[in-house]
Amino acid sequence: MPIEDEDPAEPGGNDAPGRALPPEKELLPEKGLLPEKEPGAFRTIGEVAEDLDLPQHVLRFWETRFTQVRPLKRGGNRRYYRPDDVDLLHGIRRLLYGQGYTIRGAQRVLRERGMRFVQAVGRGEQVAPAFVETDHEPEPEAAAPPLGRADRASLTAVLDELRACRRTLAGLRRVSATELDAPEAT
């Protein structure tokens, strides 16, 4: 029974380069890009990084600093971000890069205003408060209470002993230096 030749340009043909893409993967002619995913679809780290215009390692770093960012991890530690995660990352990016917050400041906004607020900031529905760093220098410790006569006398005696030790060491240095400078007698 003769085998019919398949047309290589047809889907399912023997020639892989001639295969047509499935409809959901067809390239958009005007941009040469894949079409957008559904709004509720999960995004890979590459897609989120491109959307936020950030390198992927920044997103991995933010996962360590913002416990609210919890992508699903599948086999091989592949990260898949939910739409809420993406909104949260948009909000964090806007706080850090758009409004000048530090990581600690963005963490404070998340703690005080909540995740939904930061997600709304990411969607442009809310505006974060103006950045004000509230970490103050620690107050100087209170001055030590004044010393009594006995304590002062003890400290003065110890100080005198230390000064005597210093003089002795200085004298020994002079002796050592003169011995090193003197020619050896044979």
Side-chain angles (χ1 to χ4, degrees):
M1 149 179 353
I3 299 176
E4 228 176 87
D5 288 340
E6 293 183 11
D7 185 2
E10 291 291 313
N14 292 334
D15 197 10
R19 289 187 181 164
L21 290 171
E24 69 273 3
K25 297 267 186 182
E26 286 184 15
L27 296 176
L28 297 175
E30 67 276 2
K31 292 185 180 180
L33 301 173
L34 294 175
E36 290 292 316
K37 287 185 173 180
E38 292 293 320
F42 285 35
R43 305 281 195 270
T44 65
I45 190 169
E47 292 169 333
V48 175
E50 185 177 326
D51 185 33
L52 293 171
D53 193 29
L54 293 171
Q56 293 178 16
H57 71 267
V58 172
L59 297 179
R60 289 187 209 100
F61 174 72
W62 285 359
E63 287 176 31
T64 67
R65 295 297 181 253
F66 299 98
T67 58
Q68 297 86 350
V69 178
R70 292 182 300 260
L72 258 71
K73 290 186 182 175
R74 295 289 186 210
N77 261 350
R78 290 180 165 257
R79 291 165 167 81
Y80 292 97
Y81 292 89
R82 301 172 192 90
D84 283 347
D85 292 327
V86 176
D87 288 341
L88 180 61
L89 290 167
H90 275 280
I92 291 170
R93 185 186 196 292
R94 184 164 287 169
L95 290 173
L96 296 175
Y97 293 94
Q99 294 192 265
Y101 276 81
T102 60
I103 287 181
R104 184 175 290 162
Q107 288 169 335
R108 182 175 294 130
V109 170
L110 263 166
R111 187 173 49 250
E112 293 174 0
R113 303 297 283 276
M115 193 166 76
R116 296 281 179 226
F117 175 80
V118 176
Q119 288 171 331
V121 168
R123 291 187 299 267
E125 299 167 1
Q126 291 281 342
V127 177
F131 174 72
V132 177
E133 190 65 46
T134 58
D135 290 339
H136 298 290
E137 292 294 318
E139 295 293 323
E141 292 183 21
L147 294 174
R149 287 184 196 199
D151 291 335
R152 186 174 294 278
S154 294
L155 288 174
T156 303
V158 170
L159 186 58
D160 290 341
E161 285 181 44
L162 288 172
R163 287 181 178 148
C165 289
R166 181 189 290 168
R167 285 191 298 272
T168 303
L169 286 172
L172 289 173
R173 270 194 229 118
R174 280 192 298 271
V175 170
S176 296
T178 56
E179 288 176 357
L180 290 175
D181 290 339
E184 288 187 29
T186 47

